[in-house]
Amino acid sequence: MNPAARSADGSRRVLLMLLLPGLVALGVTFVLPLLWLFRASFASSAIGAFSGGDWTLSSYETVLTDPFYWLVAWNTLVLGFNVAVFTVILSYPIALFLARTESRWRGVLTALAVAPLLTSSVVRTYGWMVILGDQGVINSTLQALSLTDGVVRLTNNSFGATVALIEIFMPYAILAMLSGFGRLNTQLEEAAAMLGANRLKVFTRIILPLSLPGVLTAALLVFVLAISAFVTPRLMGGGRVFVLGTEVYNEATVTLNWPLAAALSVLLLVLFSSVIVIYQRALRALEA
Amino acid sequence: MVDHHVEIEQLVKTYPGAQKPSVDRVSFSLPRGEMLALLGPSGCGKTTILRMIAGLIAPTSGAIRIDGRDVSAIPVHKRNMGMVFQSYALFPHMTVARNVSFGLEMRKVGKTEIEERVKKALDLVKLTGLGERKVSQLSGGQQQRAAIARSLVIEPELLLLDEPLSNLDAKLRDEMRDEIREIQARTGVTAIFVTHDQDEALSMADRLAVMSNGRLEQIGTPREIFDRPQTDFVATFIGAGNFFSGKVREPGVAEVEGLGELRFSGEAPTGSSVKLMVRPHRLVLDGTGAAGVNRFSGTVEHIVYRGQTLTLTVRCGTQRLQADLPTHAGVLPEKGGEITLAVAPEDVTFIEKAAA
Ligand SMILES: Nc1ncnc2c1ncn2[C@@H]1O[C@H](COP(=O)(O)OP(=O)(O)O)[C@@H](O)[C@H]1O
Ligand SMILES: [Mg+2]
């Protein structure tokens, strides 16, 4: 063996050693539970899931034949879609401003935009309950001004869940967009203007296409976060919003039907992967 | 009758928060079809002038006129000027052809005409057949050509180029230098290009505007700038030179301390102090060996061989002269040898606006 090959071999061994702690941690905390989740989804009872008992398709049968779970899956997709669309629409101008500004406050402004991440999403959900609740800020204001007779229902439904999720995910969307705006550059806008493009044309022909990868990344991230969310839909939905996240929680902790919870989780995983495949196709199409 | 195509008058730009103006009362004008170089060290305000002409930034004061009309109220996208940016600024999400056709699309030119004109523009810059390439698939020189095609296809009133050659390697730079000159001559477009490279400016431009610290120092043909610099800055910035301070004895003759009498060209009042310059390559070996007016004898202190020329440092009296002699000039001087150098009076330049 020549020295170069030997040293390449050596550096590969060093790399492997460096990777090992991370790999072990991932294996124990991620891969093993995931495998166990798959196994559990084929068990007939919670006990069976642990003790390597029987194999059955009955949980999947329930999930795939019960119209309720189809409705839950549909609700989840609709919620994820709405949250993703509105989060992206609301975050885009902010991210665009932060990416393009030459103000020396840019760093501070960026920090401010993502500062909500310092508070737990549970706390922020409670914040939204205070604002949107039946006796909340909006309702009491409306009533004090005699604009409405009764209560306008803003919580305990999917509207409330959607609003809270949008606000909670906006910092993530802004960060994802900023990281995806690498090709934006004011000189390109100036070049377009010199060639006769007005502001609208500069936006539609230059800024929008160049920022699309960032927008797509943000949309994917928010969609994935939204369809797996469970605390906010549960609190804001008041038990009346049924999505995959809340149902998994229900089956696992209330009904104690772990195999069913596992099967629902697998369904969620399938949704995830299909969305990621679609995203990658779209991104490749954009780049071509 | 308007005799100037482009006129810049008393242009000033003070950036917000800046202590002093980046461009300070600059005026110049170009006839149609001229190529003007804005030359000066980095940070002297060249790009700022270009961007004001383009309409990308607003002047603090002063006027920019095209065919006698003030353009300050016309927004960038209606000025019809072509700009070649230092980093080319090609649109990365479009093919080369789409980049070139962009300006025509904005002007709502018909499809078949666009195709024709794009093809012609690509032919002009020797990118024939590369229209369907992605920008990232072009080399640096090809990107440069694409950027030129893109700004010329709209038949601009004025072509602006900001350091067009600075991102190219040395060999390509020479090639593009000739090419840009040729394209400009062929299209007849009036052009202003910015550079900090004197060779580039001297070889490409019809006239040079030399700038320093936001001020215009001198404007003239390459010859005028090189042979008749009017200010200290221009004299030292362009090329090498031997500088002397002297007192005018009689018209055209100055007494330089430690050197003797120096006959010069230009008019300076008798009795005044003058600054004179002699380019190293204007000094020649003198066979007669005797010192006299414009002839200096001295000892060779230092020799640098440069292939085609020999750079000598010669000590004459209390002065040190630098001379570039052609290496084919017969018997060459040696270090420590005594030689006599001579210069013609017309090659001794009187720097008019030198700081006293
Ligand atoms: N956008 C700006 N804001 C503030 N100062 C600027 C700006 N652009 C350039 N300057 C200043 O103006 C001066 C001239 O800059 P510039 O025109 O770019 O010089 P050049 O192109 O000759 O290198 C420099 O001192 C620079 O720091
Ligand atoms: Mg510059």
PDB file of all heavy atoms in Angstrom, chain B residues 42-43 46-48 86 162-163 194, ligand 2:
ATOM      1  N   SER B  42      -8.422  53.700  -6.380  1.00  0.00           N
ATOM      2  CA  SER B  42      -9.617  53.145  -5.766  1.00  0.00           C
ATOM      3  C   SER B  42     -10.165  54.105  -4.701  1.00  0.00           C
ATOM      4  O   SER B  42      -9.402  54.653  -3.914  1.00  0.00           O
ATOM      5  CB  SER B  42      -9.237  51.795  -5.143  1.00  0.00           C
ATOM      6  OG  SER B  42     -10.312  51.277  -4.469  1.00  0.00           O
ATOM      7  N   GLY B  43     -11.464  54.335  -4.720  1.00  0.00           N
ATOM      8  CA  GLY B  43     -12.097  55.190  -3.720  1.00  0.00           C
ATOM      9  C   GLY B  43     -12.154  56.659  -4.098  1.00  0.00           C
ATOM     10  O   GLY B  43     -12.562  57.492  -3.302  1.00  0.00           O
ATOM     11  N   LYS B  46     -15.064  57.240  -8.828  1.00  0.00           N
ATOM     12  CA  LYS B  46     -15.386  56.885 -10.219  1.00  0.00           C
ATOM     13  C   LYS B  46     -16.734  56.179 -10.314  1.00  0.00           C
ATOM     14  O   LYS B  46     -17.596  56.561 -11.105  1.00  0.00           O
ATOM     15  CB  LYS B  46     -14.293  55.972 -10.804  1.00  0.00           C
ATOM     16  CG  LYS B  46     -12.890  56.527 -10.668  1.00  0.00           C
ATOM     17  CD  LYS B  46     -11.850  55.536 -11.165  1.00  0.00           C
ATOM     18  CE  LYS B  46     -11.818  54.216 -10.434  1.00  0.00           C
ATOM     19  NZ  LYS B  46     -11.122  54.180  -9.174  1.00  0.00           N
ATOM     20  N   THR B  47     -16.911  55.135  -9.505  1.00  0.00           N
ATOM     21  CA  THR B  47     -18.165  54.381  -9.547  1.00  0.00           C
ATOM     22  C   THR B  47     -19.337  55.280  -9.194  1.00  0.00           C
ATOM     23  O   THR B  47     -20.408  55.196  -9.789  1.00  0.00           O
ATOM     24  CB  THR B  47     -18.095  53.181  -8.577  1.00  0.00           C
ATOM     25  OG1 THR B  47     -17.020  52.342  -8.981  1.00  0.00           O
ATOM     26  CG2 THR B  47     -19.387  52.393  -8.582  1.00  0.00           C
ATOM     27  N   THR B  48     -19.126  56.168  -8.236  1.00  0.00           N
ATOM     28  CA  THR B  48     -20.192  57.086  -7.825  1.00  0.00           C
ATOM     29  C   THR B  48     -20.653  57.938  -9.013  1.00  0.00           C
ATOM     30  O   THR B  48     -21.856  58.110  -9.227  1.00  0.00           O
ATOM     31  CB  THR B  48     -19.689  57.966  -6.669  1.00  0.00           C
ATOM     32  OG1 THR B  48     -19.242  57.117  -5.618  1.00  0.00           O
ATOM     33  CG2 THR B  48     -20.792  58.874  -6.151  1.00  0.00           C
ATOM     34  N   GLN B  86     -19.140  45.502 -12.674  1.00  0.00           N
ATOM     35  CA  GLN B  86     -17.833  44.909 -12.368  1.00  0.00           C
ATOM     36  C   GLN B  86     -17.949  43.387 -12.213  1.00  0.00           C
ATOM     37  O   GLN B  86     -17.108  42.645 -12.668  1.00  0.00           O
ATOM     38  CB  GLN B  86     -17.311  45.538 -11.073  1.00  0.00           C
ATOM     39  CG  GLN B  86     -15.856  45.302 -10.819  1.00  0.00           C
ATOM     40  CD  GLN B  86     -15.329  46.223  -9.729  1.00  0.00           C
ATOM     41  OE1 GLN B  86     -16.054  47.033  -9.174  1.00  0.00           O
ATOM     42  NE2 GLN B  86     -14.069  46.097  -9.415  1.00  0.00           N
ATOM     43  N   ASP B 162     -18.093  49.553 -15.562  1.00  0.00           N
ATOM     44  CA  ASP B 162     -17.396  49.749 -14.288  1.00  0.00           C
ATOM     45  C   ASP B 162     -16.309  48.696 -14.137  1.00  0.00           C
ATOM     46  O   ASP B 162     -16.599  47.523 -13.949  1.00  0.00           O
ATOM     47  CB  ASP B 162     -18.402  49.660 -13.129  1.00  0.00           C
ATOM     48  CG  ASP B 162     -17.788  50.153 -11.825  1.00  0.00           C
ATOM     49  OD1 ASP B 162     -16.585  50.484 -11.814  1.00  0.00           O
ATOM     50  OD2 ASP B 162     -18.516  50.202 -10.816  1.00  0.00           O
ATOM     51  N   GLU B 163     -15.069  49.114 -14.226  1.00  0.00           N
ATOM     52  CA  GLU B 163     -13.919  48.208 -14.113  1.00  0.00           C
ATOM     53  C   GLU B 163     -14.172  46.919 -14.888  1.00  0.00           C
ATOM     54  O   GLU B 163     -14.138  45.831 -14.321  1.00  0.00           O
ATOM     55  CB  GLU B 163     -13.656  47.868 -12.632  1.00  0.00           C
ATOM     56  CG  GLU B 163     -13.566  49.082 -11.736  1.00  0.00           C
ATOM     57  CD  GLU B 163     -12.150  49.407 -11.290  1.00  0.00           C
ATOM     58  OE1 GLU B 163     -11.229  48.689 -11.715  1.00  0.00           O
ATOM     59  OE2 GLU B 163     -11.986  50.384 -10.558  1.00  0.00           O
ATOM     60  N   VAL B 194     -14.782  52.966 -16.348  1.00  0.00           N
ATOM     61  CA  VAL B 194     -14.087  53.283 -15.123  1.00  0.00           C
ATOM     62  C   VAL B 194     -12.942  52.311 -14.954  1.00  0.00           C
ATOM     63  O   VAL B 194     -13.089  51.119 -15.218  1.00  0.00           O
ATOM     64  CB  VAL B 194     -15.079  53.136 -13.944  1.00  0.00           C
ATOM     65  CG1 VAL B 194     -14.342  52.907 -12.649  1.00  0.00           C
ATOM     66  CG2 VAL B 194     -15.963  54.359 -13.843  1.00  0.00           C
TER      67      VAL B 194
HETATM   68 MG    MG C   2     -15.395  51.511  -8.167  1.00  0.00          MG
END
